[in-house]
Amino acid sequence: MAIREIVSYTDKFIRKTSKPVKVFDEKLWELLDDMHETLNVSQGAGLSAVQVGVLKNVFIININGMSIEFINPVIIKKSGEQYKKEGCLSVSEPFNYVKRPKKITVKAYDRFGNPFMLECEDWTAVCICHEADHLVGVLYIDKICVPPLGKEEDEDCV
Ligand code: NI
């Protein structure tokens, strides 16, 4: 395992669109293992492959000690809305509010190519939406908004 360098938002590579994973092999597992190590030392909540310089539809999240790998993820259902302050390991700008669905259903594959489906809400939903955006070159700073009165929530999420 190795810690990989995180691509900054000042590098236009971060805006590239990632491509589907076709082969679930040791190279993919090495990438995932390195991403876990990189995320752990950075103390972030999520990390996409593009952030370590690899244009593959891969991201991981780590929330409340729960770590999940998503390969070729697709968000198939969204409902409700929430406003939480987001940050990003690639972005050295202040945390800011982004509007996200309150609840989502995501379909993806695990590292062995087995499909799974996950229904989640709150922070987990925010984090998955944030990482899914990375796969199409979108950053939270593109989506900063002013939450409606009383809808803003104060904790931060990277
Ligand atoms: Ni990010």
Side-chain angles (χ1 to χ4, degrees):
M1 292 223 285
I3 295 164
R4 301 206 186 184
E5 199 182 322
I6 293 181
V7 178
S8 163
Y9 71 132
T10 55
D11 183 337
K12 57 182 190 249
F13 184 88
I14 205 82
R15 294 298 186 172
K16 287 185 182 277
T17 296
S18 296
K19 296 194 172 64
V21 170
K22 291 185 180 144
V23 189
F24 294 77
D25 60 0
E26 281 174 14
K27 208 176 155 197
L28 173 69
W29 304 339
E30 192 188 344
L31 168 68
L32 285 162
D33 292 344
D34 287 357
M35 285 172 67
H36 284 295
E37 199 171 349
T38 308
L39 183 60
N40 286 342
V41 297
S42 321
Q43 297 193 311
L47 185 70
S48 297
V50 58
Q51 290 181 276
V52 293
V54 179
L55 292 173
K56 282 184 178 164
N57 285 342
V58 171
F59 63 73
I60 60 170
I61 64 165
N62 192 344
I63 293 182
N64 302 326
M66 179 186 65
S67 183
I68 312 175
E69 300 172 342
F70 298 81
I71 322 291
N72 298 342
V74 184
I75 296 168
I76 55 169
K77 222 167 122 186
K78 302 176 186 181
S79 62
E81 58 188 53
Q82 58 178 324
Y83 298 84
K84 284 181 164 52
K85 269 187 175 177
E86 295 181 26
C88 178
L89 295 175
S90 293
V91 179
S92 52
E93 300 257 344
F95 286 60
N96 228 313
Y97 287 109
V98 178
K99 179 185 178 181
R100 299 289 188 189
K102 180 80 177 161
K103 215 171 160 177
I104 61 164
T105 304
V106 59
K107 228 178 94 177
Y109 294 84
D110 69 13
R111 61 163 63 200
F112 305 106
N114 302 308
F116 67 93
M117 201 131 85
L118 184 74
E119 229 188 270
C120 54
E121 54 190 358
D122 299 327
W123 276 118
T124 313
V126 168
C127 194
I128 290 171
C129 291
H130 176 118
E131 299 310 325
D133 275 353
H134 273 299
L135 304 186
V136 290
V138 173
L139 300 174
Y140 83 92
I141 44 173
D142 306 335
K143 295 188 161 179
I144 289 172
C145 72
V146 179
L149 218 60
K151 288 275 192 183
E152 62 275 69
E153 298 171 48
D154 269 339
E155 317 135 78
D156 298 338
C157 180
V158 180

